[in-house]
Amino acid sequence: MSTHRHVKLLIVGSGPAGYTAAVYAARAMLEPVLVQGIQPGGQLTITTDVENWPGDTSIMGPDLMVRMEAHANAMGAEIVSDHINSVDLSKRPFTAVADSGTTYTADAMILATGAQAKWLGLPSEEAFKGFGVSACATCDGFFYRGQEVAVIGGGNTAVEEALFLTNFASKVTLVHRRDELRAEKILQKRLLEHPKVEVIWNHQLDSVYGADSPKGVEGINIKNTETGDVRKVQVSGVFIAIGHAPASDLVKDQLETHMGGYVVTKPGTTETSVPGVFAAGDLTDHVYRQAVTSAGMGCMAALEAERWLAENGETEGKDVSEPLGYGAKVEPAQ
Ligand code: FAD
Ligand code: NAP
């Protein structure tokens, strides 16, 4: 059933950025409505120990996000289990249409849609997705009890995925395209000292091979980046962990983006190229991409939205091209 709701502030996304924005906006009496999306809690729900969230020496990612949701709720934010499939930021109030059929109009909007796992784009990777090729060890690691698996990548995610997989797999082979990992030193040390882990340096995934019936991975072909030689590694599962891309499809062609889709914000703020629309977290951050920096940006976005709403008031019927004072001037992308 299609319904219409007008809200002062709509927050899209339920990671650290979205929930922090909701806490601040609720305390500012903006009566925020937060739409969670298909991954309530965001990226931290697919990891295990988080060891760099201040105040917690170690906390499970999903537990931290349950706590953030409860906090936003307790402050008075309305949290909606739905997904926004389109937005119109060309006129105010802004419009957001949800899968449930609800159309939101909003005086201001905070976008905190985060990032999604990147894939290599190989046909064989696509063919075995869900049949031995995965981008989430926490979700799928359990299926590889006593089996050999490979992880592709050299950043924090790849190393954490590899270490997590040692809980199930008999052997974990990490394949990295260079001879040096990008991951934090503490993680590198844990990986390199782990008896179940082998690292294959200077190799790229060339293809995944396997059986059709029952469908499943039997191994990978990896190519030496220096010599071009291809060799086989027999594994039952492959975890692609080569980074994340910003989830900005929703606002493609409506907001200024750069560096492969990151939403541009005015330096030192969360203001986007459309006054009244703010962006926070991994959606806009190609540098830090951490839970704590995302939460910090969520705070900034709520404070800026509050100030912007106070100065611009109810926006119904206004054209976004009008000069709007605070937030109207946007610096070009750096
Ligand atoms: P995300 O957490 O990406 O959340 C995005 C939210 O937007 C989701 O709730 C999603 O459902 C929602 N959404 C997307 N599209 C829509 C839509 N159209 N409509 C409605 N909602 C939508 N960082 C650390 O600091 N410490 C760690 O230990 C750590 N470990 C990590 C482990 C893994 C495996 C990964 C992948 C990342 C890790 N990170 C870690 C990075 C951290 O998770 C991110 O920096 C952080 O989650 C970004 O927060 P965010 O709020 O910007 O977005
Ligand atoms: P990342 O830091 O961007 O690392 C991606 C890795 O994949 C790099 O090693 C990169 O190789 C490799 N790669 C990229 N494209 C590739 C390709 N086409 N073929 C082969 N390899 C490829 O991504 P991430 O590890 O997902 O981390 C994302 C952000 O989340 C980071 O800011 C990270 O700090 C954060 N995070 C933090 C934690 C934590 O704090 N514990 C945990 C997970 C993630 P090169 O090194 O050669 O570029």
Side-chain angles (χ1 to χ4, degrees), residues 43-44 47 49-52 115 117-121 152-161 175-184 186-187 203-205 240-244 262 282 285-291 293:
Q43 292 172 64
L44 286 186
T47 190
D49 292 300
V50 175
E51 297 180 350
N52 49 17
K118 278 192 209 163
W119 297 94
L120 286 162
I152 314 295
N156 277 344
T157 300
V159 172
E160 285 194 341
E161 302 262 273
V175 180
H176 183 39
R177 64 181 175 183
R178 290 190 293 134
D179 61 359
E180 191 188 3
L181 295 168
R182 182 180 292 276
E184 286 168 18
I186 189 169
L187 293 174
H203 278 74
Q204 280 271 30
L205 181 62
I240 312 293
I242 58 163
H244 287 76
Y262 289 92
D282 281 12
D285 174 16
H286 56 90
V287 181
Y288 305 107
R289 296 175 297 170
Q290 302 294 308
T293 45

Side-chain angles (χ1 to χ4, degrees), residues 48-326:
T48 50
D49 292 300
V50 175
E51 297 180 350
N52 49 17
W53 179 256
D56 289 301
T57 312
S58 177
I59 181 165
M60 299 299 273
D63 292 346
L64 178 60
M65 297 320 297
V66 165
R67 278 171 35 183
M68 283 198 205
E69 178 179 350
H71 189 171
N73 227 333
M75 292 299 121
E78 183 181 336
I79 295 170
V80 180
S81 171
D82 210 342
H83 176 260
I84 302 296
N85 58 53
S86 67
V87 294
D88 182 355
L89 307 177
S90 68
K91 55 185 183 308
R92 298 176 26 230
F94 307 118
T95 308
V97 181
D99 283 355
S100 62
T102 303
T103 297
Y104 294 92
T105 51
D107 293 329
M109 207 181 277
I110 294 176
L111 298 167
T113 51
Q116 285 161 352
K118 278 192 209 163
W119 297 94
L120 286 162
L122 302 169
S124 56
E125 170 194 61
E126 187 61 36
F128 286 102
K129 252 187 216 170
F131 297 92
V133 173
S134 167
C136 178
T138 336
C139 320
D140 300 328
F142 182 79
F143 300 118
Y144 299 95
R145 234 167 233 284
Q147 299 176 54
E148 299 197 7
V149 297
V151 175
I152 314 295
N156 277 344
T157 300
V159 172
E160 285 194 341
E161 302 262 273
L163 287 168
F164 178 73
L165 286 163
T166 60
N167 292 319
F168 310 99
S170 54
K171 181 178 176 188
V172 179
T173 302
L174 185 121
V175 180
H176 183 39
R177 64 181 175 183
R178 290 190 293 134
D179 61 359
E180 191 188 3
L181 295 168
R182 182 180 292 276
E184 286 168 18
K185 293 283 180 281
I186 189 169
L187 293 174
Q188 293 194 26
K189 186 168 181 297
R190 280 181 208 162
L191 181 91
L192 298 173
E193 287 175 356
H194 202 290
K196 278 191 183 176
V197 174
E198 181 191 354
V199 180
I200 301 183
W201 305 103
N202 300 316
H203 278 74
Q204 280 271 30
L205 181 62
D206 193 53
S207 61
V208 181
Y209 64 87
D212 281 340
S213 177
K215 197 165 177 177
V217 168
E218 291 174 339
I220 54 177
N221 290 307
I222 55 171
K223 188 191 258 180
N224 188 310
T225 52
E226 286 166 348
T227 63
D229 291 348
V230 176
R231 64 186 256 207
K232 282 187 191 318
V233 182
Q234 286 187 351
V235 287
S236 311
V238 195
F239 291 83
I240 312 293
I242 58 163
H244 287 76
S248 58
D249 279 359
L250 194 62
V251 293
K252 201 168 163 244
D253 305 326
Q254 299 197 59
L255 292 181
E256 202 179 323
T257 59
H258 64 168
M259 320 271 299
Y262 289 92
V263 169
V264 174
T265 51
K266 182 178 170 182
T269 78
T270 61
E271 295 165 21
T272 69
S273 51
V274 172
V277 178
F278 304 85
D282 281 12
L283 172 68
T284 174
D285 174 16
H286 56 90
V287 181
Y288 305 107
R289 296 175 297 170
Q290 302 294 308
V292 70
T293 45
S294 298
M297 283 186 258
C299 158
M300 288 166 65
L303 295 176
E304 288 167 11
E306 179 192 4
R307 211 152 96 202
W308 188 84
L309 283 167
E311 290 179 10
N312 292 280
E314 291 293 316
T315 56
E316 201 138 3
K318 285 192 185 169
D319 187 324
V320 283
S321 56
E322 289 175 42
L324 290 164
Y326 178 80

